[in-house]
Amino acid sequence: MITHVMWFRKDLRLEDNTAFYHALESLQKNDRLICLFHLDQKQYKIGEPSHDYFFSALEEFRKELAKNKIALHLLTGDLVEAFSSLKTQFPVFKHLYFNLDNSGFGQKRDLSITHLLESEHISVHAFEESHLHKAKDILKNDGIPYQKFTPYYKKWAALPKPAYRYLDVSSFSPYTAHLPELTKDGDRELNYLLSNRKKEFSNEVGEIQATDRLNDFVANKLESYHLKRDFPFKDGTSHISSFLSTGQISIRKVWHIVMDGESHQGQEIYLKELAWRDFYQMIYHYHPNQYKEEFNEKYRSLNWKNNPEFFDAWKNGQTGFPIIDAAMRQLNETGWMHNRLRMLVASFLTKDLLIDWRLGERYFAEKLIDYDAASNIGGWQWAASTGTDAVPYFRIFNPTTQSLKFDKEGDFIKIYVPELAKLPSKLIREPHSLSKEQQAELNFYLGQDYPFPIVNHTLARKETLEWFQSQ
């Protein structure tokens, strides 16, 4: 009897899971399959939304496997020691299956385990499947990676997209092992993590929930996506990113469901967002140090101001700029932020406050339930004007005019900055930049204190332009 191991990570689904499909297809009579997940303490962010969401998703996936009579065994401790112990317990452990993580921490982890197991004469079957196209699929004619999105996108759009497959796992359940002694410590640790969640995400996770949400978006919102996606008070986006980042739905399924219907502008714009996801993954693959250094070499020695009081005000939604504060409070409360607002708060941190983009990126990594390293790093460097295809340094978002354009009546601000909720729309964008008469009106409406702006945007913009020009 040969033992096959399926190692789940950020692919918490049964349907269209490439490694799982091949693991099940590989089984011969009398073989067995052990399904594993490794609880790595180095990746815990206890108390943060991203942490609570992921482990809620893991628990839901475990339940879904159990419905199909498949056990998910939880390993703990050092990863190398865990796999070495697994080999000792199961001398006939001959095949490992997993879906690759092509960048950052995951890439280093995958390489170390591959080297370890191959030295033990265990066959490692790893698959790239988290994006529509692999990093090496789309290159210039001379084999060099693209650095600009538009030419990359033209080639990306012309390529056929991979199909997705449905697999009836119930017919394979007799082959899968249930070994309580293997997962005892892991059960205890996962129960501890779940019992210490600050936010309950049980109704926002799972493969079924992901598919339902995607179908609802396509049926009811996709056609108007290009018209509504920039307005944070409108429910005009798919809210599918958290399911993608944790692998509760496959990117191939998303593509084909979105494509299944008449072509229109909303569909085109949405599919372009999927191309951006592939583009940033490609950039991170070829530039693995991008998480800690600027893509543009010219800006690798920037002398950021990094005022700690300003940074705390930004994190806590206390900058005195209502649209910025509402966005940051949405992030802190829900673990998610509207994409237009992600651009605004990133611009504000790096351009108005001159705080290092890495600090903002790390804060997002702690909070976001849909955190994707490649896209997040790419987006932050874009906003800071240090990355690939970035906005020019002189393009700086004005929080007040952006608020007027995308939250004209202050509907979004009133949700997350309740101390301003009673203000009329004409006062809500700049509650402290008023005439004496308006200030009197403000004091009448304002139920709680709201901070004065921590910077003057006009002066901050001027300082930033001079700062960049001096580099």
Side-chain angles (χ1 to χ4, degrees), residues 364-431:
F364 270 30
E366 292 174 0
K367 298 293 182 181
L368 284 172
I369 64 174
D370 63 354
Y371 179 73
D372 175 276
S375 294
N376 200 55
I377 293 166
W380 270 95
Q381 289 224 36
W382 178 88
S385 301
T386 64
T388 177
D389 230 7
V391 293
Y393 71 85
F394 50 80
R395 190 169 297 162
I396 302 172
F397 287 119
N398 181 320
T400 304
T401 57
Q402 287 286 306
S403 178
L404 177 63
K405 186 173 182 180
F406 297 109
D407 188 30
K408 186 175 182 180
E409 301 301 319
D411 296 325
F412 179 77
I413 292 171
K414 291 175 182 179
I415 295 172
Y416 290 102
V417 188
E419 61 267 41
L420 302 181
K422 294 181 181 179
L423 285 179
S425 301
K426 63 181 180 179
L427 302 180
I428 202 167
R429 279 175 290 282
E430 293 182 287

Side-chain angles (χ1 to χ4, degrees), residues 157-315:
L159 289 177
K161 301 299 178 279
Y164 78 96
R165 57 170 72 92
Y166 174 78
L167 180 67
D168 181 9
V169 298
S170 61
S171 61
F172 290 94
S173 57
Y175 293 92
T176 60
H178 186 198
L179 307 164
E181 70 279 4
L182 185 63
T183 196
K184 181 171 57 177
D185 292 340
D187 289 345
R188 196 160 40 238
E189 188 157 348
L190 180 59
N191 287 335
Y192 169 78
L193 295 173
L194 293 172
S195 64
N196 283 276
R197 286 174 293 182
K198 283 188 175 180
K199 183 171 173 58
E200 177 61 60
F201 285 102
S202 296
N203 295 324
E204 301 176 45
V205 294
E207 192 169 354
I208 295 173
Q209 174 77 251
T211 302
D212 288 347
R213 189 170 295 186
L214 179 62
N215 285 331
D216 176 70
F217 170 71
V218 171
N220 300 308
K221 303 172 189 175
L222 180 60
E223 192 170 356
S224 60
Y225 176 70
H226 62 297
L227 300 174
K228 296 181 178 179
R229 67 183 184 126
D230 280 322
F231 299 91
F233 62 91
K234 295 181 179 180
D235 186 18
T237 61
S238 69
H239 292 280
I240 205 73
S241 54
S242 61
F243 296 104
L244 278 173
S245 67
T246 49
Q248 296 173 80
I249 192 170
S250 87
I251 187 63
R252 293 169 297 282
K253 184 174 184 177
V254 173
W255 169 270
H256 287 286
I257 289 180
V258 171
M259 282 292 290
D260 187 19
E262 292 184 11
S263 177
H264 48 70
Q265 194 172 355
Q267 180 196 67
E268 179 186 348
I269 296 297
Y270 186 81
L271 293 177
K272 185 174 281 191
E273 293 299 320
L274 303 186
W276 272 106
R277 185 173 179 269
D278 279 9
F279 176 73
Y280 278 138
Q281 175 65 19
M282 179 273 294
I283 293 293
Y284 198 22
H285 174 79
Y286 285 105
H287 302 274
N289 290 329
Q290 194 189 10
Y291 72 97
K292 63 180 180 181
E293 72 177 16
E294 287 75 8
F295 182 89
N296 189 333
E297 295 182 17
K298 177 182 177 181
Y299 295 129
R300 288 182 184 170
S301 300
L302 292 174
N303 185 27
W304 299 99
K305 304 299 182 183
N306 292 342
N307 182 314
E309 293 183 1
F310 284 0
F311 188 47
D312 284 341
W314 177 84
K315 289 191 295 185

Side-chain angles (χ1 to χ4, degrees), residues 322-341:
I323 192 65
I324 301 298
D325 294 339
M328 294 305 297
R329 294 185 196 186
Q330 180 185 42
L331 174 64
N332 294 333
E333 291 176 27
T334 70
W336 185 82
M337 187 191 293
H338 188 277
N339 190 58
R340 165 61 57 173
L341 301 180

Side-chain angles (χ1 to χ4, degrees), residues 346-364:
S347 174
F348 185 82
L349 185 74
T350 57
K351 300 290 181 63
D352 284 70
L353 305 184
L354 289 177
I355 290 177
D356 194 332
W357 63 268
R358 281 166 283 253
L359 297 177
E361 197 280 328
R362 287 171 202 151
Y363 190 73
F364 270 30

Side-chain angles (χ1 to χ4, degrees), residues 12-196:
L12 305 179
R13 66 182 184 276
L14 299 177
E15 185 175 293
D16 195 32
N17 185 318
T18 305
F20 193 36
Y21 173 85
H22 286 286
L24 293 173
E25 287 288 302
S26 71
L27 296 173
Q28 303 294 318
K29 188 175 182 180
N30 296 325
D31 287 351
R32 68 175 165 187
L33 177 67
I34 299 176
C35 295
L36 298 177
F37 184 91
H38 178 246
L39 297 167
D40 190 340
Q41 293 184 350
K42 294 192 292 293
Q43 293 184 284
Y44 293 175
K45 299 170 186 173
I46 294 176
E48 299 295 352
S50 60
H51 174 99
D52 292 347
Y53 180 86
F54 183 84
F55 287 104
S56 297
L58 177 62
E59 174 66 1
E60 182 63 26
F61 178 59
R62 200 179 188 198
K63 290 178 181 177
E64 195 60 34
L65 281 171
K67 290 178 185 176
N68 289 277
K69 300 181 181 179
I70 299 174
L72 181 63
H73 301 89
L74 305 175
L75 300 184
T76 58
D78 180 78
L79 181 61
V80 171
E81 291 178 5
F83 270 100
S84 297
S85 175
L86 193 67
K87 173 62 177 173
T88 300
Q89 292 178 67
F90 303 98
V92 289
F93 170 19
K94 296 296 183 182
H95 297 275
L96 174 69
Y97 294 82
F98 62 86
N99 293 309
L100 279 165
D101 199 338
N102 263 335
S103 57
F105 172 86
Q107 186 179 47
K108 295 176 183 177
R109 174 201 59 202
D110 292 356
L111 286 172
S112 67
I113 290 302
T114 297
H115 291 154
L116 168 72
L117 297 185
E118 287 182 342
S119 70
E120 296 285 343
H121 307 292
I122 295 172
S123 297
V124 175
H125 309 272
F127 303 89
E128 294 187 54
E129 63 105 61
S130 59
H131 292 75
L132 285 167
H133 292 293
K134 304 178 183 67
K136 298 178 182 179
D137 283 352
I138 302 175
L139 302 172
K140 296 179 183 179
N141 293 336
D142 57 5
I144 296 175
Y146 284 99
Q147 295 187 11
K148 298 292 184 181
F149 175 74
T150 299
Y152 172 90
Y153 174 67
K154 289 179 180 178
K155 188 172 286 189
W156 182 95
L159 289 177
K161 301 299 178 279
Y164 78 96
R165 57 170 72 92
Y166 174 78
L167 180 67
D168 181 9
V169 298
S170 61
S171 61
F172 290 94
S173 57
Y175 293 92
T176 60
H178 186 198
L179 307 164
E181 70 279 4
L182 185 63
T183 196
K184 181 171 57 177
D185 292 340
D187 289 345
R188 196 160 40 238
E189 188 157 348
L190 180 59
N191 287 335
Y192 169 78
L193 295 173
L194 293 172
S195 64
N196 283 276

